[in-house]
Amino acid sequence: MELSRRTFHALAGTAALGFALTGSGSPTSANPARTAPTGPPPPVPSADGRRHEIGFDHYSLLVDGRRLVLWSGEMHPFRLPSPSLWRDVLEKMRAHGYNAVSVYVAWNYHSPAPGRYDFTGVRDLDLFLRTAAETGMYVILRPGPYINAEVDAGGFPGWLTATHGRARTSDPTYLRYVDEWLTAVNAIVAKRLFTQGTGTVLLYQIENEYDAHVDEPSGRAYMSYLYEKVRADGIDVPLFHNDKGRNGHWAPGSFGTGGEKGRWLYGFDGYPEPDEVPPDWGSFGTGGAKGGATASPRTPGFVPESGGGWFDPWGGSWFDGKGYAEARRTRDAAYERRFYLTNLANGITLHNVYMTFGGTSWGWLPAPAVYTSYDYGAAFDEARNATPKLAPMHQIGQLLRFVPDLAKLNRAKAVRATDKRVKVYPLANPDTGARFYVLRNDSAEAVSVTLPDAGIDVPVTVPARDAKLIAAGLKLGKRTLVHSTVQPMLSLTAGRQDIAVFAGRRGDLAQVVLDCPDEPTPMRLDAEPAWSWNLNKLNITAPLGAGGLSRVRVEGDGVDTPMLVLFADDATALRLWPYETPSGPLLVYGPALLRSATLRGSTVHLTGDTTGQTGLEVWGPRGITHVTWNGRPVPTRISASGSLLALRPLPGVTRPALPALDGWRRRAGNPEADPDFDDSDWTTADKETTFSTTPVPDGQPVLFADDYGFHYGDVWYRGEWTGANGIESVSLAYSTGTQGLLMAWLDGEPLGTHRMPVPDKDRARQGTWTAKAAFDVPEQLREKFREEREKEQEQGGKRDRHVLSVLVRRMQHDMDGKALDTHKAARGLTAVTFEGDSPEVEWRIQGTATPDPVRGPMNTGGLHGEREGWHLPEYDDGDWKDAELPRSDRRQGVTWYRTDFRMDVAPGVDASIGLVLDDDPGRAYRVQIFLNGWNMGQYINDVGPQHTFVLPNGILRTRGANTLALAVLSDGTTPSGPGEVRLTLLGAAAGGVPVKQV
C-alpha cells in the first residue's frame, strides 16, 4: 500500500536532522564541478580521530581532496563464525593489494524475534569494523534490509515470513520492522564512520539489486524512505545502490533524497560468463542508461559486485559436479585480468570483487540455491588459503595504491595493434601525460603485437584469453618510463633509492625502457637481466620466472637517486610485499605473507606467515639495521641492492598430525514416530489464516511451520484421531527449499520417504519446491485396522487411537529476488488427505527449541536430539551404544553418532582443518555435522557435490578436546552409513593470528 505523506515522514523520524548534518557546509559534502589534480593517494585509512571529507567527481572518489581508486573485495563476517579469523582474512586482503572490504550485514543473523537484535559474539559488527580499521581497510557497508547473498530469505529474518506487510515496498508494517533493523545497525555504524575519524566506513549501500517496482510510486517511496532513514541515523558518508544489471535503475535523481544532492552514487553489478567477450561497461561502451557507468556520467564508474566466481547448487549442476575447484579453474587469473582490466580501462574506479573470501554458509544460513560451502571459487578459498587467482588482484591493487596516475584517466587517441586479435584500450592521464594501454586477447592463441601508433615497436605478447596493462610516459620516482612490455606493479622510494617492480606471466620476456639522457652505469645483480643504452634510452630485458626475482640497479645517469628495477613473474610477485609506515614505505620479499611492519629505532619488526623455508629481504627507510620476524631476531647483511638480506632462511611450517576419528557412540533419534510419544507440550496447529503467499487448502488448518514460530531446520508433525480404520492411503502435500524431504510413520510403522528432485541448471535457482507424497498403508497395518473394525462392530467398544507422525526437512526460504514476497512461501506440510476413510485429525507441531544464545537462531532445527542437546559437547552420552564406522544400517529415520578427539597443533602454527565424509554414492542418507555444538553444515551422500567441510579455528579447538556429533537421516531404501569420516589438513602456515575460542 502507498504511504501517505504524513505516515512516510513519521516513519522517517528525524530525517531532517540528517540533512542538516550533511548539507553544503558539511565536511562530507561533494561538489561535482570541482576537480582534483593527480597526486599522492590518501594514506592508509585508520580510526585516526580526525574528520575526513569524502567526495567524488566522474573520475574517482575524493578523500580529503585526494583521488582514491577503490580496489575492494567482498567477505561476509557471518560466513566465518570465528571473530579472530576476521583479522586473518582482512590482513591477507590488505597485503594482497585490496584497500577496501565490502560486507553484507544479514538481518536474519542478528534478529531471532521482532524487536530483538544481537550484536555480540560471532555477531559483533562493531568488532569487525574496529578490526577493519586496525588493518587499514576501508569498509563498504551493505545492511540491506534485503541482501540476497544466497542466504535464507535473502537475509530477511524467519519471523518476517509470518507478518503482515508487503516486503521491499513502502508498506507501513514492513517499514516499521525495517526501521527497527536499521536503527540497530546504524547505531553501531555511526560510531565507525571514516568521516568522523572513528572508523573506516567509507560507503553505505541501501537495499540490494532492487529491480522491482522501479517505476511505481511504492518503489520510489521505499528507496526514499531508506535514504532518509539512514541519514536520520547519522550516516553521513556517500550512499549507493547496486543495480542488478546495466539498467540505469536508481541513478541520481530517480527518487527523492529529501533535497540532498551530490551524495548518491550509481553502481551496477556484473557477472559475465568466463567464455564471454568482456563487455565495455563504461567509456568504451555504447553509452546511455543501459551502458553501465554511462548511466550516471557525473559519478565515477562503480561495480559493487564484479564476478570473482559463482555459486554452486545442490548436485553441482553449475560446474558438472566438480564443485568450486571448477569455478576457480574457469574464473582463473587470466579471467580476472581480462575482465577487471577491461573495467579499469572503462573508467571503473570503484571495483568490488564478489567474492574475495566466500567462507561457509553454516547452520541453516544457506539459501535454497546453495549447499553449505560458499567457497565461490574465490581468490581465497574457504579454508583461508591464498590461491593463484590472487596474482592479478595483487599486482593491480599494488599498482593502484602506488601509481596515482590511474585514478584519473581519459580515453586517448586510438592505437592499433599489428594483429587485430588484440584489442587495445588507450588511456591517458590529463595531468601527468602518463599513458596506459590495456591489451586484450580474446582468441584461443597467444598473440604478439607491436603498437606503432604508440611508439612501441618491440613485441608485446598477450596470452590466449588474457590481457595485460602496459605503461608509457610514466614517472617512476625521479625517472620516466618510456614504455614497458609487462605491467608495472609498484613504484616507491625506500631509503636512498627508488624502486620499480614489473610483473607478468612466467616465460614473458620483459622489456623496460627508461629515459636516460646521460649514459647510466647499470649494475646487473642477478644473472638473467640484460641491458643496453642507445639514443638516450636505457633498455633492460629480463625473462620472468627463470630465477625468481631479478634485479638491476641504475645510477650514474645524472639523477642523484639510484633506481632499483625488479622483475617478477606471477608467483614471485605474490611474495613481494609493500607496506606503508610513518617513516616511509617498506618492500619485503620472501615470505608467504606479510601481515605487519613496525619501525622502532633502527629495527623493523615484521609479522607474517611462511609455508615453506624461504629467504627474507627488506628494503626500507634510512637507518634500519635490524630485523625481527614474528618476534625473533633475524641476522642480516646489506646486499648489493641496498636491502637487508637474511643470512639464513626463515623456517617453514611443520605440518601437524591429525587424530583418527574413532570411539563412536550411537543412538536412534526419532522417538516422535512412536504413537505413544508424549507430545502434550507441542504447539497445536489449528490456525485458519496465514500471511504466507501459499494458500490454505479448503477445510484444512494452517500447517505451515513459520506460522507457529519454527523458522529453521526440521519440523515434526503429529496428527491424532480415533476410529477411521478404513484408511488405505495418505497423501501429504509439502513445501520446502531445494532438496527438502518428508518422512512419515503411521502408528509407528514407516510409510516411506519422499524427497524433492536434484535441480538441474534450469532449476538451480528455484527457491520453493512443492510436491505430494502419496503412501499406501502397509498390509500389516491394514490387517490391524480390519481387526479393529471387527472388534468395534462386535463389541461396540472404545475406538482405537491412531497417530500419523511426519518429519519434514524444510530446508530454507526463497530469497525473494523479485520482491514478490516469495520468502513467505510455506515451509513444511501444506495439506493432508486420506483415501478410504475421513478421520478428524488434531495436529500438533514441534520445531526448534529456544534459539541458542551463543550460536544464534540458525544453528539448530527441530530434531529430537537437537531439542535435547545431543549436539552439545557437555551432553552426557555415556549410555549410548558403541559403534564402528562405516555403518550400513537400513532404517527410516534419524540416528545420532558422537565421538571426541583431541588436537595438538603447535603454537604459532595456523592449521586449517576439514572434515571429510565419503561413501558409496548410491546410499541415500544425509548428515548434519555438529562440531562442539556448532552446526557446520549438511552433507547429502547421494547428491553432493560437497564432501569436505571446513572446521574454523576457534570453533575447532586446535589445542584441546573437541566433540563431533553427526545426525544422520536415512530413508530406509539403502544402507545408510555414515561411511568414512576423517579429518584432513587443508592448509598450514607458521604464523597466523591469535585465535580465541567461540
Side-chain angles (χ1 to χ4, degrees), residues 188-263:
I188 297 168
V189 178
K191 297 186 297 182
R192 303 298 169 199
L193 298 172
F194 187 61
T195 49
Q196 306 302 313
T198 52
T200 55
V201 176
L202 188 76
L203 301 175
Y204 183 112
Q205 178 179 307
I206 63 173
E207 247 284 347
N208 188 82
E209 295 186 333
Y210 186 54
D211 63 347
H213 317 300
V214 173
D215 298 320
E216 301 172 17
S218 177
R220 292 193 294 272
Y222 174 47
M223 291 293 283
S224 294
Y225 171 75
L226 295 176
Y227 191 104
E228 294 194 31
K229 168 60 182 170
V230 169
R231 287 294 187 231
D233 286 344
I235 308 302
D236 62 3
V237 300
L239 308 181
F240 72 96
H241 178 76
N242 58 331
D243 190 355
K244 195 172 186 176
R246 275 65 58 206
N247 305 300
H249 293 163
W250 311 115
S254 59
F255 67 100
T257 56
E260 185 180 57
K261 296 182 179 180
R263 306 295 297 147

Side-chain angles (χ1 to χ4, degrees), residues 661 664-665 871 897-901 915 929-932 951 962-966 981 983:
L661 298 178
W664 292 93
R665 287 88 63 196
H871 62 296
Y897 297 81
R898 283 170 57 100
T899 190
D900 299 316
F901 64 94
L915 182 75
I929 300 164
F930 291 93
L931 176 68
N932 296 327
L951 307 177
N962 298 273
T963 298
L964 181 64
L966 307 178
V981 182
L983 299 175

Side-chain angles (χ1 to χ4, degrees), residues 595-893:
R595 295 183 180 272
S596 69
T598 306
L599 271 63
R600 291 195 292 271
S602 60
T603 302
V604 56
H605 301 273
L606 306 177
T607 67
D609 297 359
T610 59
T611 52
Q613 192 179 78
T614 180
L616 176 67
E617 195 167 0
V618 182
W619 294 270
R622 298 181 185 183
I624 64 167
T625 57
H626 295 80
V627 176
T628 70
W629 177 257
N630 288 341
R632 296 182 178 179
V634 178
T636 62
R637 64 173 176 85
I638 298 177
S639 74
S641 66
S643 65
L644 293 177
L645 184 65
L647 296 178
R648 55 177 179 267
L650 302 179
V653 64
T654 301
R655 295 169 65 87
L658 302 181
L661 298 178
D662 50 22
W664 292 93
R665 287 88 63 196
R666 69 188 291 260
R667 183 175 179 178
N670 51 282
E672 299 91 339
D674 190 322
D676 296 325
F677 177 81
D678 182 5
D679 60 14
S680 59
D681 62 346
W682 287 21
T683 301
T684 301
D686 58 1
K687 292 186 177 184
E688 297 179 354
T689 60
T690 179
F691 294 122
S692 172
T693 55
T694 303
V696 180
D698 291 341
Q700 298 262 353
V702 175
L703 296 174
F704 313 158
D706 287 298
D707 286 75
Y708 298 97
F710 304 123
H711 305 301
Y712 304 111
D714 299 298
V715 61
W716 275 96
Y717 297 86
R718 283 171 58 89
E720 183 175 331
W721 67 90
T722 57
N725 297 319
I727 295 173
E728 297 175 355
S729 66
V730 180
S731 179
L732 304 171
Y734 73 118
S735 177
T736 73
T738 307
Q739 279 301 287
L741 65 74
L742 173 151
M743 296 179 176
W745 294 259
L746 180 57
D747 291 349
E749 293 294 329
L751 294 180
T753 297
H754 185 279
R755 53 193 291 183
M756 300 297 180
V758 180
D760 56 20
K761 283 188 176 181
D762 293 335
R763 302 183 75 183
R765 299 192 195 196
Q766 181 173 321
T768 294
W769 299 70
T770 60
K772 285 186 179 180
F775 300 114
D776 292 331
V777 175
E779 182 57 37
Q780 64 268 29
L781 277 183
R782 293 191 187 190
E783 179 62 29
K784 176 185 173 184
F785 291 168
R786 285 193 290 270
E787 293 174 358
E788 289 174 356
R789 286 198 303 273
E790 292 172 359
K791 184 177 180 181
E792 288 178 13
Q793 292 169 358
E794 292 174 0
Q795 302 178 9
K798 181 179 177 181
R799 306 179 76 188
D800 288 284
R801 168 179 169 271
H802 301 285
V803 177
L804 175 64
S805 301
V806 181
L807 171 64
V808 179
R809 174 142 291 181
R810 38 173 295 146
M811 303 301 277
Q812 289 84 12
H813 302 91
D814 182 86
M815 287 191 293
D816 194 25
K818 297 182 179 180
L820 299 174
D821 262 2
T822 52
H823 63 290
K824 294 183 178 180
R827 290 296 182 262
L829 283 179
T830 55
V832 181
T833 56
F834 300 87
E835 293 291 335
D837 217 327
S838 301
E840 295 183 7
V841 184
E842 294 182 358
W843 286 100
R844 292 182 181 271
I845 183 173
Q846 178 64 55
T848 186
T850 304
D852 189 312
V854 174
R855 302 170 182 91
M858 308 177 83
N859 191 64
T860 54
L863 293 180
H864 179 79
E866 292 173 298
R867 304 197 309 270
E868 295 295 316
W870 293 3
H871 62 296
L872 299 174
E874 58 267 25
Y875 179 79
D876 183 4
D877 59 10
D879 60 346
W880 288 26
K881 294 180 179 179
D882 292 340
E884 296 288 337
L885 298 186
R887 297 289 301 185
S888 56
D889 298 343
R890 188 189 291 265
R891 63 180 296 269
Q892 175 181 295

Side-chain angles (χ1 to χ4, degrees), residues 36-39 67 408 429-434:
T38 299
R67 295 199 174 278
K408 187 178 181 181
N429 183 291
D431 300 328
T432 67

Side-chain angles (χ1 to χ4, degrees), residues 18 53 65 99 149 215 248 293 335 339 398 434 507 513 538 552 555 559 570 619 727 731 749-750 781 902 906 908 948:
E53 177 182 346
N99 60 10
D215 298 320
Y335 161 91
F339 283 82
Q398 311 297 357
V513 181
L538 174 64
V552 174
E555 55 188 338
V559 180
D570 286 346
W619 294 270
I727 295 173
S731 179
E749 293 294 329
L781 277 183
R902 292 190 64 85
T948 300

Side-chain angles (χ1 to χ4, degrees), residues 334-356:
Y335 161 91
E336 293 189 311
R337 272 187 295 267
R338 201 160 58 114
F339 283 82
Y340 301 162
L341 285 176
T342 299
N343 284 349
L344 188 62
N346 273 271
I348 309 298
T349 58
L350 285 78
H351 192 277
N352 178 59
V353 177
Y354 189 106
M355 298 292 295
T356 292

